[in-house]
Amino acid sequence: MTDGYVRELAADSRAGAGRPRVPVELVPDAAVVLGISVTPTSLLAVTMLIDGTIVGTQTLTFDPSSSVLAQFTDVIGRQRAELAHPERVVAVGISVSGAVDQALSTVRISTTLNWQDFNLGAGLQRAVNLPVFVSNDLFAQSTREVSFGLGRNKDDFLLLGLGYGVGLGIVNRRRVFFGAGGSSTEFGHMSVDPNGPLCVCGNNGCLQVYAGLDEVLASAPGPGGPQSLAGLQQAVAGGDAELSGFLDGIGYRLGRSVGGVVNLLGIGTVIVAGQTTSLWQELSGGFNRGLGETVLKFLLPLDITVKAWTESEDAVGAAGLALHNAISLNVPLADRAGIVVSALSDAEPHPVH
Ligand SMILES: [Zn+2]
């Protein structure tokens, strides 16, 4: 109430003992956050009110190899310019695919963007004069889900992200597990077959080489070369049995791997998200079979929810992270991602290759 996020309504006039009850309500536009998701070709930005309403979305083309800060500053300026009260923007969240040090808002490595040890948060905070929180896409989404989404009534859950990367967000006692150095997300590089194909990470038989979306599209059976996600959906709908068997096998590998994590952590609630969930009908049979063969019986039944994917999911996750970090009261200050000065580059990213 001191910060103006909540206002009092008329007092409850019904007579009773003690102080009259005073109802309150959220002031949705008292504060605004921006969320930006980054791909190798685009920046997708959303503007979010504190009740989670999205009031503005835009997509700009993006070149991750040069003038990175200027491009971010531009998209932030455009989002603010559309607001009646641009001064109410309290924070910016950025969602990046890759390993991100949450505490430093530094991208440790992003192979998709070709960035390494890039302190995007500090550089951008100076440029736009707002708190900037940079996060791995799955961590941002996990934070949003536990604060405002499917996980808001759950203390513990796993968020399985199925897209170009394969990741697993771990929420324990309502806190996202970041790992030492703040970059624990590489579930996709769990080894599932020592004789499997070579992974981009240099090891063999990672889950990623089977279940990453590019890898699924490249190795799916069918006429011609690599397929599109829409093409696969169409073939599945048309009753392509070979393709169904292929996808069932991917679901099975995912299920067995998630089953191991369920046993390890004792967390039996799983939220499944990401582009590849559009094939979930074909993946789920194998996934459940894989879980059934691995999960300890006393942990059953599991609670599995599949979240429909939308284009702006990562940007909304980034906005949710910014909102959580900027105004949430239930997180100890020491645990909030923040910006500290570091010796890392914050002007331009170092290329990985
Ligand atoms: Zn790997």
Side-chain angles (χ1 to χ4, degrees), residues 188-190 199-209:
H189 299 283
M190 176 179 277
C199 179
V200 67
C201 72
N203 297 330
N204 285 80
C206 296
L207 197 51
Q208 174 74 31
V209 302

Side-chain angles (χ1 to χ4, degrees), residues 103 175 331-338:
R175 287 171 56 169
V331 179
L333 204 58
D335 292 339
R336 295 187 195 184

